[in-house]
Amino acid sequence: MDFTENDIIGYIEEHLSRKRLQHTYAVADEAVRLAKRYGADEKKARLAALFHDMCKGMTVDELDARVRSFGLADRLLGRANLSHSKVAAEMMKREYHISDEDMINAVAFHTTGRAGMSKLEKIVFLADAIEPGRDYPGVDEIRALAREDLDSAMIRMLSHTVEYIGEKGDYLDPDTVEALKDLKEKEDL
């Protein structure tokens, strides 16, 4: 890696709203706590968390243009809630020359999850969901689970996501369904 933490901090300080910046730093702190708890690389957890929402300041049109230019899936078009993570992962590779696939995947799948998630991917996913500024029904239960069992917390969070999106009638990314299925199958072994 030929970038420093200050490079991403400079970018997010310039491009994110104060509220999104506060969230990003809270996610980074939570990711480090979870990494310590589960014996993961704390530096990678912090860096991935700092990158995770770097594209949240972009408009849907800007994100769509990058989705097209990066050759990403059409299902991301018009869906900033899904595309921001995939675009950020591509920017990590292309603009920051990051080649660590685990960090890239942690950013790319922090909103949807996926089958076969690594420990780092789960940590960033959960850190985003449970940082202290998050307030939604069930968050305290997920926070408690995250401190006890990473996979149980993932299953609960993914189940919550599937339920919430289903109730809203919004598009449910197939990666989320596959992530939940994968974790439940491993739990049953």
Side-chain angles (χ1 to χ4, degrees):
M1 293 185 235
D2 58 353
F3 72 98
T4 67
E5 184 175 308
N6 287 336
D7 293 330
I8 186 55
I9 288 173
Y11 182 90
I12 63 177
E13 291 273 345
E14 182 179 337
H15 291 91
L16 297 181
S17 69
R18 191 61 33 211
K19 183 178 178 184
R20 181 62 56 183
L21 199 54
Q22 184 178 11
H23 162 74
T24 298
Y25 287 132
V27 173
D29 291 344
E30 188 65 39
V32 169
R33 277 192 288 276
L34 290 171
K36 282 181 186 175
R37 164 70 179 88
Y38 292 104
D41 186 314
E42 295 170 36
K43 183 177 179 183
K44 284 185 183 184
R46 178 172 171 74
L47 286 172
L50 290 172
F51 275 102
H52 91 282
D53 271 356
M54 70 184 286
C55 295
K56 277 288 199 170
M58 293 182 181
T59 66
V60 174
D61 288 341
E62 289 170 316
L63 285 166
D64 284 353
R66 292 205 184 217
V67 165
R68 286 186 186 97
S69 72
F70 294 157
L72 299 172
D74 284 348
R75 75 176 190 266
L76 301 173
L77 294 171
R79 295 187 172 111
N81 60 326
L82 297 176
S83 64
H84 79 278
S85 59
K86 306 299 192 240
V87 170
E90 284 298 318
M91 287 176 66
M92 288 172 71
K93 291 188 278 192
R94 296 167 188 247
E95 296 174 26
Y96 291 87
H97 309 288
I98 295 171
S99 58
D100 185 307
E101 284 298 319
D102 203 19
M103 280 180 54
I104 293 165
N105 286 335
V107 172
F109 296 100
H110 82 267
T111 55
T112 60
R114 70 177 180 117
M117 291 177 80
S118 71
K119 186 186 299 184
L120 180 64
E121 289 174 77
K122 293 172 189 176
I123 285 169
V124 174
F125 182 97
L126 284 171
D128 184 35
I130 67 168
E131 61 92 349
R134 293 292 197 191
D135 183 24
Y136 54 87
V139 70
D140 290 331
E141 174 195 357
I142 296 166
R143 282 186 183 118
L145 276 172
R147 285 159 181 77
E148 298 301 319
D149 184 278
L150 207 53
D151 287 348
S152 294
M154 285 294 301
I155 289 169
R156 184 64 201 110
M157 187 63 229
L158 289 163
S159 297
H160 172 82
T161 300
V162 169
E163 292 164 18
Y164 177 74
I165 291 173
E167 287 170 8
K168 284 180 58 180
D170 285 347
Y171 173 79
L172 179 62
D173 192 283
D175 284 335
T176 304
V177 175
E178 290 302 313
L180 182 56
K181 180 181 167 191
D182 180 60
L183 285 163
K184 282 184 172 180
E185 285 172 359
K186 288 176 181 166
E187 183 182 54
D188 292 338
L189 295 179

